[in-house]
Amino acid sequence: QVQLVESGGGLVQPGGSLRLSCAASGSIRNINAMAWYRQAPGKQRELVAIIIGIGSTNYADSAKGRFTISRDNAKNSVYLQMNNLKPEDTAVYYCYAELTTTYYRYAENYWGQGTQVTVSS
């Protein structure tokens, strides 16, 4: 079994910062990619940022210049540093990993339970 556990969400004022963390645990063989998605009320889940392989990154246009994704391979963890937060960043943020396990040869997708980020004065 594999679990992704997020932490770091909360309430922050506009212009503030938050750092989200996600740790993957279980029978992991290799992690191909880790990412952060978000879903606001009434909207579809969207990709915020992704880190692939040894460190190739890609960001949604709304995140460029404000958010930074990073990864600690030794800890099977991914982080999202969010600066200059705006009310439109309010959403549930989900951690995602594409990984292989010790018991199945093909890569599978895993999701965390989500963490709420609210940007409001």
Side-chain angles (χ1 to χ4, degrees), residues 3-7 45 92-95 111-116:
Q3 281 190 317
L4 272 61
V5 179
E6 302 116 330
S7 61
R45 190 173 297 189
V92 177
Y93 284 70
Y94 296 91
C95 178
W111 294 90
Q113 80 286 355
T115 185
Q116 177 70 45

Side-chain angles (χ1 to χ4, degrees), residues 43-91:
K43 294 188 177 181
Q44 290 188 334
R45 190 173 297 189
E46 62 177 2
L47 176 67
V48 177
I50 187 168
I51 185 163
I52 301 169
I54 61 173
S56 175
T57 60
N58 197 16
Y59 295 88
D61 287 342
S62 59
K64 289 178 181 176
R66 299 188 300 128
F67 295 0
T68 302
I69 189 169
S70 61
R71 180 173 163 182
D72 185 334
N73 292 330
K75 296 181 179 180
N76 288 335
S77 294
V78 66
Y79 310 95
L80 186 67
Q81 177 66 43
M82 303 186 292
N83 298 327
N84 190 21
L85 283 160
K86 304 176 181 180
E88 51 264 41
D89 294 317
T90 296

Side-chain angles (χ1 to χ4, degrees), residues 1-4 23-31 76 99-103:
Q1 297 291 340
V2 173
Q3 281 190 317
L4 272 61
S25 63
S27 303
I28 298 169
R29 182 188 303 276
N30 185 62
I31 299 178
N76 288 335
L99 57 85
T100 53
T101 61
T102 58
Y103 51 83

